[in-house]
Amino acid sequence: MVLSIINLSVKLGDQKAVDNLSFDMNRGEVVGLLGPNGAGKSTLMRAITHLQLHDGSISIDGKDPAALSSNERARLVAYLPQTRTIGWRITVRDLVALGRMPFRAFGTRESATDREAIEAALELTDTQHLASRIASELSGGEQARVLTARAVAQTTPLMVADEPASGLDPAHQIMLMQALRRLASQGRSVLVSLHDLTLAARWCDRVVLLDKGSVADEGRPDKVFTRQRLATVYGVRTQIAHSADGLVITPTDLVER
Amino acid sequence: MVRRRKPISFFSGLAIIAGAALAAPVFSDLAEAQPQRVMSLNLCTDQLALALAAPSQLASVSFLAREPVMSPEHEKAKALPINHGRAEEVFLASPDLVVTGTFSLHNTTQLLKKLGFRVEEFGFNQQLEAIPADIRRMGELLERQEEAERLAAAFEDELSSARQQLCGPAPTMLIYDQNGVSPGAGTLAHSVMEAAGFRNLAAEQGLNGVGPFPLEAVIESRPDVIVTSSATGNAPTLGEMVPRHPALKTLPDTLIGDFIPDGTLSCASPATILAVRALVELRRRIAPCRREREAQ
Amino acid sequence: MTALRLNISLLVLMLLLFILSLGVGPAELGFRESFHGLFAGGGEAAAIIMRKIRLPRALLGLMIGFTLGLSGAVLQGFLRNPLAEPGIIGVSSTAAFGAVLVFYSGLAGSALYALPAGALMGALIAVIALLALSARGGSTLTLILAGVALSSLSGALTSLVLNLSPNPFAAYEIIFWLLGALKDRSMDHVWIAAPLMVIGGLLIAASARAIDALSLGEEAAASMGIHMPRARLLIVAGVALGVGAATAVAGTIGFIGLVVPHLIRPLTNRMPSALLLPSALGGAALLLASDVAVRVILPAGELNVGVLTALIGAPFFLWLVARARREML
């Protein structure tokens, strides 16, 4: 198991943002984390990446992250935050190279391993042709892939991505999910939070549906995404169709109270 | 303005006011008697007034008079009220004589004259020789001519005896003050140095009046004596560190010290003779004339 | 331009200006005289002038410029903001106030070490306050406004303390504190400032990795192995020590940490860590050049060097603001 969460709770102010939550992930899985706004998705992800205080136990690749140094933690789990920040007009390659930071002491030259990891990351996210471009001048979709490449270059067994597809056009959304799938096929795992139900159904091995800080359901998308379940959690009526490419879920209306 | 001692009838009052309006300011009538409430608004007139006035003659002196560093008469000033040279203060104190400097606040002086106060102004003197005249004039104003004559005569005697003791060659001196500023030609310090038999290095390098003298120029010109002001201990400034710069301490044949008593050069006052005296002593020590050497 | 080539060019420029600074002064010393005086020693006028007056001045110009350039670069990297620099965000002004408060109150007699002691405390207060503000996701506008407020307040308090001093000359020294000067410094000043600047510089160098990671935001940086509290401490302490020491001995000299990183950034790969050393070297060069200029423009009485850096830096700053108008708010 690459990720094991047992009885995780996070209190933000007076609210319990995450309430006694447990689930786990295996190697080579893309797990979608879904739920309404405020369900605790970001909080959960920040707890996993040790950015948030929590109760309960988390184990990543068999190790307790709290007992490790920041560097060791960084070699276990890579985090892709929701807010996309690129502070300076650096090139794409330099940005992706930042992902090697947990493996390099400052001032040392890039090793062969570093170079390979960077190249592999660019290839996986289909961004090699952008390598010498200025990252902050790219389109939103390209930037999302480049930032993902940085997390990929970190060569961690687990990646946690907070809404990486938000604000992207359909093509870029699909390109991003394809990259994550490629990552999984190499034996690495991704926990990705999404809002698009169809995207999640199509590209995730499993989904975890959060509601008010607890797991409402988890498992394969076609098992979790029922009209009943979605109505309860999201408060929307949905149309679910089974096409040749997979589930198509369309929210149509609000549920009457 | 008319001072009324007894209530008078309306018509008499009118007559007096009419007369006063046609006459010169009434206060000048009181000048024939000795002034009993004298206000000095300026540090330099403070020195003259404090030196000559009778015990109860002075109503107040300027606030600077109490500063030990600037005022030789600071002890005497402690017993007196102080003023900040403002017109309201003068108005409220009702002095019969106001003494101030021509370089003091012009607006204030003009206003006081318009209000009818008797104001006597003393010029900003930078010459030793003119001090006895100032002493005598203050004596006139305060009706203390005897004391003034005594003081002025003593001053003149000591000055001429210092002059008589001059011999060549004169040692060089530089007065080096806050922030590397020196008095050059035409200053009081300059005339004191000359009277005591020193060459003013700042004047020789072309400095007129008080101005900056670069540290490097001091090193290059190698004065025999550098005079600094005494350190202020608990109220330090960065500027007073310049005359104490480490570079000056390494000059091999230069004597550095605060040889001139505090405040004796801040005004051309009776105390300025103490500055002359101190420098004459110093010269006798470091470059005695043959006569003096033989006398020892 | 590669990093090595850039750094070496700037190093050479800095050394040339250092030598030039040694050659400028009211005393007209020939090249041979100055050289001899500097190295041979002795009681000659040339030796005293070179070793005790010009050498400390040139050294301080180099050290202070180095520190200010370095501090500007690290603050910009840390705050992810190209307008950050010790002067603009108020660190220099509060350092000046701290120095003035401790020195002119006579708390340490008139000991020279009172200056850096006070300046350090002042600088620390400013850096900590600004960190607290930026931690709450402060925008550029917030940062600059806070800097303006701190500078104004510190300037006013500095003037107040100087006016309250029983020494009448103290009030006139406000110009030195607000506009900085390297005039008439001695080796004493070099010895009290140097250790603090060296330590500050080392702390800043240790934060190089962190500021690179911060290009992607605080959360990403933390997840890449950066211990954020430690990074914050290194930068706060490093900047406070360096800027505190610099301000203590030379007053407030502003804009060097703004102008130099800006000019140098296009010559690097724009990674914040790559900017540190060149900004430091460039800062030293700029301050040395300014200090030479103030002695040459008005040979009779010098300009305060802070006047010159402000004359260069303030219009530059306004131009930057105008250009980045949209991105700022």
Side-chain angles (χ1 to χ4, degrees):
Chain A
M1 265 192 308
V2 78
L3 175 66
S4 167
I5 298 177
I6 301 171
N7 294 341
L8 186 72
S9 290
V10 177
K11 236 182 160 211
L12 290 181
D14 290 327
Q15 296 270 22
K16 267 210 161 183
V18 174
D19 195 359
N20 226 358
L21 192 149
S22 304
F23 77 92
D24 44 47
M25 283 171 64
N26 298 307
R27 286 191 176 279
E29 274 198 298
V30 176
V31 174
L33 189 61
L34 286 94
N37 290 19
K41 301 191 298 299
S42 289
T43 313
L44 172 62
M45 291 184 147
R46 295 175 76 247
I48 294 171
T49 51
H50 208 74
L51 292 169
Q52 176 69 56
L53 290 172
H54 55 263
D55 295 314
S57 94
I58 298 178
S59 151
I60 303 177
D61 215 21
K63 305 187 183 84
D64 177 14
L68 302 171
S69 70
S70 344
N71 251 6
E72 289 166 335
R73 259 197 305 274
R75 297 183 197 189
L76 278 185
V77 52
Y79 180 50
L80 208 51
Q82 195 173 353
T83 29
R84 294 175 199 137
T85 311
I86 303 176
W88 307 101
R89 293 163 42 100
I90 51 182
T91 62
V92 165
R93 197 191 184 284
D94 283 335
L95 195 157
V96 175
L98 284 174
R100 300 303 300 162
M101 196 171 282
F103 302 92
R104 292 176 63 186
F106 181 72
T108 56
R109 288 189 159 286
E110 242 175 41
S111 71
T113 324
D114 293 326
R115 226 167 303 143
E116 277 164 25
I118 296 169
E119 289 301 317
L122 289 170
E123 208 192 303
L124 192 130
T125 53
D126 202 19
T127 50
Q128 301 114 303
H129 60 289
L130 300 170
S132 50
R133 294 272 308 273
I134 305 290
S136 46
E137 286 174 356
L138 300 174
S139 74
E142 291 169 327
Q143 278 187 8
R145 276 159 42 219
V146 162
L147 289 168
T148 308
R150 185 276 303 166
V152 170
Q154 223 165 311
T155 57
T156 51
L158 175 66
M159 183 195 303
V160 174
D162 199 343
E163 296 195 34
S166 70
L168 300 189
D169 66 46
H172 281 105
Q173 283 190 341
I174 293 171
M175 280 194 265
L176 187 89
M177 297 311 290
Q178 282 176 338
L180 297 182
R181 277 247 59 95
R182 265 176 250 145
L183 202 59
S185 69
Q186 292 172 3
R188 293 155 69 177
S189 315
V190 183
L191 179 66
V192 53
S193 74
L194 296 165
H195 275 306
D196 189 327
L197 297 162
T198 308
L199 204 67
R202 174 92 172 84
W203 298 98
C204 297
D205 296 308
R206 276 192 303 138
V207 293
V208 172
L209 188 58
L210 289 189
D211 187 15
K212 297 190 186 61
S214 319
V215 176
D217 199 0
E218 65 115 341
R220 290 172 48 89
D222 53 2
K223 173 200 150 225
V224 173
F225 292 153
T226 62
R227 297 190 69 221
Q228 189 77 5
R229 177 72 67 195
L230 292 173
T232 317
V233 173
Y234 282 102
V236 288
R237 282 210 293 252
T238 49
Q239 260 197 21
I240 301 182
H242 296 259
S243 78
D245 296 312
L247 278 178
V248 178
I249 304 164
T250 318
T252 54
D253 218 332
L254 293 175
V255 167
E256 275 128 29
R257 293 190 172 276
Chain B
M1 273 176 53
V2 178
R3 269 248 170 94
R4 291 184 289 187
R5 300 251 160 80
K6 293 178 274 192
I8 50 181
S9 72
F10 178 63
F11 290 108
S12 318
L14 263 182
I16 292 172
I17 290 170
L22 296 166
V26 177
F27 273 115
S28 58
D29 289 354
L30 299 171
E32 287 149 7
Q34 191 186 50
Q36 290 303 313
R37 288 183 61 73
V38 181
M39 265 183 93
S40 169
L41 305 183
N42 170 276
L43 177 68
C44 300
T45 50
D46 291 342
Q47 306 306 315
L48 289 166
L50 286 165
L52 294 175
S56 56
Q57 236 184 331
L58 295 179
S60 75
V61 288
S62 84
F63 66 102
L64 289 173
R66 289 189 183 171
E67 295 287 332
V69 174
M70 299 173 86
S71 171
E73 298 278 9
H74 62 268
E75 285 294 329
K76 282 192 196 163
K78 278 188 196 159
L80 289 167
I82 57 166
N83 66 67
H84 288 81
R86 291 194 290 258
E88 310 97 65
E89 289 172 300
V90 177
F91 191 78
L92 288 169
S94 285
D96 44 20
L97 171 65
V98 176
V99 288
T100 183
T102 50
F103 273 69
S104 295
L105 311 159
H106 280 189
N107 291 342
T108 312
T109 313
Q110 291 309 311
L111 180 59
L112 290 173
K113 285 182 182 169
K114 268 198 205 148
L115 288 172
F117 288 98
R118 180 183 172 203
V119 181
E120 296 288 345
E121 293 173 84
F122 281 73
F124 186 58
N125 179 22
Q126 289 289 288
Q127 294 303 315
L128 271 179
E129 289 75 18
I131 296 179
D134 276 345
I135 296 175
R136 291 190 176 101
R137 181 178 167 216
M138 183 59 84
E140 282 286 322
L141 293 174
L142 297 176
E143 295 284 330
R144 299 273 287 175
Q145 290 88 338
E146 272 184 45
E147 291 76 8
E149 195 48 49
R150 239 182 292 148
L151 197 58
F155 193 99
E156 283 165 331
D157 284 342
E158 193 165 345
L159 192 58
S160 65
S161 89
R163 289 241 157 79
Q164 277 159 19
Q165 291 165 35
L166 291 182
C167 64
T172 55
M173 172 181 280
L174 184 75
I175 295 181
Y176 208 44
D177 228 335
Q178 285 265 343
N179 265 316
V181 159
S182 260
T187 58
L188 183 65
H190 180 80
S191 68
V192 167
M193 283 190 261
E194 279 197 329
F198 283 95
R199 282 166 49 201
N200 183 359
L201 217 56
E204 285 181 9
Q205 301 262 344
L207 190 62
N208 279 318
V210 177
F213 199 75
L215 199 56
E216 292 187 14
V218 180
I219 305 287
E220 272 193 315
S221 40
R222 306 200 153 231
D224 295 318
V225 182
I226 297 179
V227 179
T228 59
S229 51
S230 47
T232 38
N234 280 340
T237 59
L238 292 178
E240 69 189 28
M241 292 184 169
V242 176
R244 290 170 181 75
H245 196 280
L248 294 176
K249 297 190 180 129
T250 59
L251 286 172
D253 303 307
T254 302
L255 200 60
I256 308 180
D258 53 345
F259 301 113
I260 296 180
D262 286 340
T264 52
L265 289 181
S266 46
C267 283
S269 71
T272 307
I273 199 66
L274 298 174
V276 177
R277 193 182 298 171
L279 289 188
V280 166
E281 269 307 305
L282 182 65
R283 206 212 69 232
R284 217 174 268 157
R285 238 196 319 142
I286 64 168
C289 294
R290 217 177 304 133
R291 270 173 274 137
E292 290 157 351
R293 250 180 282 145
E294 282 164 6
Q296 281 163 10
Chain C
M1 194 186 280
T2 67
L4 188 65
R5 203 176 296 167
L6 178 65
N7 285 323
I8 289 184
S9 319
L10 288 170
L11 181 70
V12 168
L13 179 65
M14 181 188 84
L15 290 173
L16 285 175
L17 285 164
F18 181 78
I19 293 170
L20 182 63
S21 177
L22 285 173
V24 174
E28 314 234 326
L29 298 176
F31 180 70
R32 191 175 297 170
E33 252 197 296
S34 333
F35 194 82
H36 193 256
L38 191 60
F39 291 106
E44 302 289 307
I48 298 177
I49 290 173
M50 290 305 290
R51 286 185 161 195
K52 305 238 168 208
I53 301 175
R54 292 205 190 162
L55 183 64
R57 180 168 189 154
L59 281 174
L60 281 174
L62 192 152
M63 284 161 36
I64 293 173
F66 192 93
T67 300
L68 293 176
L70 183 65
S71 301
V74 82
L75 282 173
Q76 288 171 22
F78 185 67
L79 297 169
R80 228 167 16 260
N81 195 316
L83 294 176
E85 77 98 32
I88 290 176
I89 61 177
V91 178
S92 305
S93 315
T94 50
F97 171 57
V100 163
L101 186 62
V102 176
F103 181 72
Y104 289 86
S105 60
L107 280 175
S110 53
L112 212 53
Y113 68 77
L115 294 169
L120 280 178
M121 291 190 291
L124 262 173
I125 292 173
V127 187
I128 291 173
L130 288 158
L131 244 65
L133 259 171
S134 71
R136 251 168 254 173
S139 66
T140 303
L141 191 62
T142 316
L143 206 64
I144 294 181
L145 288 177
V148 168
L150 270 175
S151 298
S152 309
L153 182 63
S154 309
L157 289 172
T158 302
S159 183
L160 181 67
V161 170
L162 290 173
N163 274 292
L164 288 176
S165 165
N167 191 324
F169 294 106
Y172 298 103
E173 307 207 325
I174 185 75
I175 296 290
F176 167 80
W177 289 105
L178 291 183
L179 287 171
L182 291 171
K183 187 171 179 245
D184 295 339
R185 306 290 93 186
S186 68
M187 287 305 289
D188 292 338
H189 293 100
V190 174
W191 297 133
I192 55 170
L196 298 172
M197 287 181 176
V198 167
I199 297 174
L202 289 172
L203 291 177
I204 289 175
S207 73
R209 210 166 155 256
I211 57 175
D212 273 350
L214 280 166
S215 309
L216 301 177
E218 268 95 25
E219 294 198 324
S223 73
M224 294 195 310
I226 304 298
H227 193 252
M228 284 306 294
R230 198 181 85 114
R232 258 178 234 126
L233 184 66
L234 285 171
I235 292 173
V236 167
V239 170
L241 279 168
V243 175
T247 311
V249 298
T252 305
I253 298 176
F255 297 105
I256 289 188
L258 176 75
V259 172
V260 176
H262 255 284
L263 293 176
I264 293 188
R265 195 172 282 120
L267 302 171
T268 65
N269 65 1
R270 294 174 184 261
M271 286 293 247
S273 66
L275 209 56
L276 291 178
L277 183 59
S279 294
L281 294 170
L286 181 59
L287 187 57
L288 283 167
S290 302
D291 195 38
V292 167
V294 295
R295 280 175 284 176
V296 163
I297 294 174
L298 283 185
E302 284 173 29
L303 270 181
N304 287 63
V305 76
V307 170
L308 207 62
T309 61
L311 280 174
I312 299 171
F316 190 88
F317 179 55
L318 284 172
W319 173 70
L320 283 177
V321 165
R323 199 181 65 163
R325 214 173 39 230
R326 272 164 270 123
E327 298 144 38
M328 266 240 293
L329 303 168

